[in-house]
Amino acid sequence: MSMRLCLLAVLGGAILLSVLNLAVPPASALHVPTYAISLAGKYLSYALLAVAVDLVWGFGGILSLGHAAFFALGGYAMGMYLMRQIGTRGVYGNAILPDFMVFLNYKELPLTWYGFDNAGYAILMVLLVPGVLALIFGWLAFRSRVSGVYLSIITQALTYALLLAFFRNDMGFGGNNGLTDFKDMFGIPLQADATRCGLLIATAVFLSGALLLARYVVTSRFGKVLIAVRDTESRTRFLGYRPERYKLFVWVLSAVMAGIGGALYVPQVGIINPGEFSPANSIESVIWVAVGGRGTLVGAVLGAVLVNFGKTVFTGALPELWLFALGALFILVTLLLPGGIMGLIGRPARRPKNVTPAAEPAE
Amino acid sequence: MTTPHHHHDTLLYLDGVSVSFDGFRALNALSLVLERGEMRAVIGPNGAGKTTMMDVITGKTRPDTGRVVFGKDTDLTRLDEPAIADLGIGRKFQKPTVFEPHTVWDNLLLALAGDRRPRFTLWARQSSEESDRIEAILKTIRLGDHRGRRAGDLSHGQKQWLEIGMLLAQEPHLLLVDEPVAGMTDAETEQTAELLREINGTRSVVVVEHDMAFVRALGVKVTVLHEGSVLSEGSIDHVSNDPRVIEVYLGR
Ligand SMILES: Nc1ncnc2c1ncn2[C@@H]1O[C@H](COP(=O)(O)OP(=O)(O)OP(=O)(O)O)[C@@H](O)[C@H]1O
Ligand SMILES: [Mg+2]
C-alpha cells in the first residue's frame, strides 16, 4: 500500500464516517453510531503513536519500550486543559480547582496547573513536555552511547517511573483516577456528535501530517544517514557523522508526535489515568509496528488500526485471552512475517532483477 | 625510541603507542613515521596489531600510553572518531563495511566531503557538483553500471571497491586501507594496486595487506609488525630477506 493510498484511506475514511454519522438518520442501516466515531478516533490516535515508534525503531534502530510515556504526557497536558474547562460545572462547583483537588483538600491550584485554562498554553505543553523530556533523556542516553537492549530497558524504566509518580495523589494529577468528566473543548461541548466527528477528522489530519513529515525526514539525506546509523552506527562515525545527534533529533520529533497522539486520544476516550504509562502499553505499540511492517510508516498505521480493531472485537468476546492472543500474534509475525503485513503486500510488486534501484523504504 | 623530527613533511607520527586488552599487549611501544605523500605497506602475521594500529589512529581505541601526532601538532589520542574523520583521515575496514540498504550512489553521496550536521542534511539537495563528483568516483572504482544497485547485493570485491570509493569521496589527506584485496581475483587485485598508486598521487596512504604479490606490486616502503611493534622496515626485498621476518613467517 502506498503512502498516497494510506492518506486517502485515513482522511477519506474519517470524512465518510463523519458524514454517515451526522447526515444519515439513526434509523438507517448506513448510520454510523457516535461511539464508533470515537473508537475510530482512538485507533487513529494510536496510529500516530505507532508512526512515532516506527520513526525511531524502523529508521533509527532505537527500540523504545517507553513511547507510551510521551503519548500519556501529551494526554495529561490535554486532560489538564479539559479539566480547567469544566469550571464551575464540577460536583463541588469550584471555578478554579478540579473536583479531585477539592476532595483532597487542596487550598489552591498547584503551580503545575497554572496556565492550563488557556488553550494556547495547553497546546504548547502538549508539544513541550514530551519534547523536553525526550531531549533530556535522549541527550544523556545517546551521548553515553547507550543503545540496543540497554536503551530499551531504560525506556521501560522511564515509563514505569512516570507510572508510579502519576499514581501518587500528592503529585496533583488526580492519582489513581486520573482526569475525567470532561465537558468542553475550546468552549464546544465534547459530547456533541459534531465535536466527535470534528475530533476524528482532526486526528486524521494530524496523522496525515505526521506521515508526510516522517516520510520527508526518512527520505531526506538526513534519513539516509539515520538508516546508515541504524545498520552500521560505528561506520558513520568514521565518515565524520555524529550518530548521537541524528538519534536525538529523530527521538525528540518522535516524542512530540506521540504527545500529539495522546492529546487527541484523551478528549475522544474521555479519560486519562496513570494506566496509560504502563510498560505493557509501550510494548503493545511496538507490536503494532511489527505487525504492520517495521520501517514502512504506512505499516505502522495499518498495524495500529488492525490490531486495535482486533482488540476491540476480541476483548468483547474473550477479554482474559487478549494478552495471550497479542503475544501469539507477535511471535507469529516475528517468525513467519518479518516484514509484517507490508512485507506481505509488497512482495509481488518487487521489481525484476537488474533493473533495480532499491525500493524506497518509506513507499 | 626515535626522537620526533618535526619536519613539516611528517604527516603521521606514532610515538611509543601501547594498547592492552585484558593484559594482552596488542600494541607494544609501537613507533612509526609516515611522510606526507607517502604510501606505506604494513604487513605482519595474524594478530600482529595491524588493525589495532588503525583503530588507534582513527580514535576507535584509546592507547594506554603514547601519542599519535597528525600534521604539525594534533594529538589524535585526544579526539573521537568524527573529529578525526573531519581532520581528513579516512578508513577502509578489513571486513568491507558499506551501507547495505542504500544504493551504490547513495553510499558515495553520504561519504562525500561536506557538512555532516543534521541541520544541513535535513534540507540538503544534491548539487550538480556532488553528482559530478560521484560520477567521477564511479568511473574510478568501475561501478558506473551498478550505481542504482543496493550495496548489500554487490559481490565482495565490488563492496571493497565501493568502500575505496567512499574513502575517495571523503577527500581525506590520509587513507588507511585494511586488507583491500581480500577476496579479489588476480585481475581485480592488480587493478586495485593501480588504483591505490593513482590515489597516492595526491594523498598519503597506509595499506595493510597479507597478499605479498600485491605488496610487491605497490613497490613502496614496507613495515613489518610483529607482536605489536615494528620488526623490520624497508623495501620489500629488504624485509623479505630479513632473517627475523623469515623466522616470524616460517616459524608459524
Ligand atoms: N577489542 C579487542 N578486545 C580484545 N582483544 C583484541 C581486541 N582487538 C584486537 N584484539 C587482539 O589484539 C591482537 C591484535 O589484533 P589485530 O586485529 O590488530 O591484528 P591484525 O594484525 O589486524 O590481524 P589480522 O591479520 O588477523 O587482521 C589480536 O590478538 C586480537 O585478538
Ligand atoms: Mg586486521
Side-chain angles (χ1 to χ4, degrees), chain A residues 165-228:
Chain A
F166 274 76
F167 256 124
R168 297 171 61 97
N169 279 329
D170 53 13
M171 277 286 287
F173 296 115
N176 190 16
N177 299 319
L179 312 175
T180 188
D181 292 328
F182 310 131
K183 305 270 190 279
D184 292 347
M185 184 174 181
F186 309 137
I188 306 164
L190 209 46
Q191 305 307 329
D193 289 352
T195 313
R196 297 271 151 182
C197 292
L199 279 167
L200 170 61
I201 292 170
T203 312
V205 168
F206 274 100
L207 175 59
S208 303
L211 276 169
L212 289 173
L213 181 65
R215 189 180 59 166
Y216 173 81
V217 169
V218 303
T219 53
S220 70
R221 194 177 298 184
F222 173 97
K224 287 173 180 161
V225 177
L226 187 67
I227 290 168

Side-chain angles (χ1 to χ4, degrees), chain A residues 335-361:
Chain A
L335 293 181
L336 302 178
L337 264 186
I341 298 170
M342 290 299 285
L344 201 63
I345 299 174
R347 205 169 292 160
R350 255 261 168 85
R351 268 159 277 202
K353 258 201 250 165
N354 295 332
V355 200
T356 55
E360 278 299 315

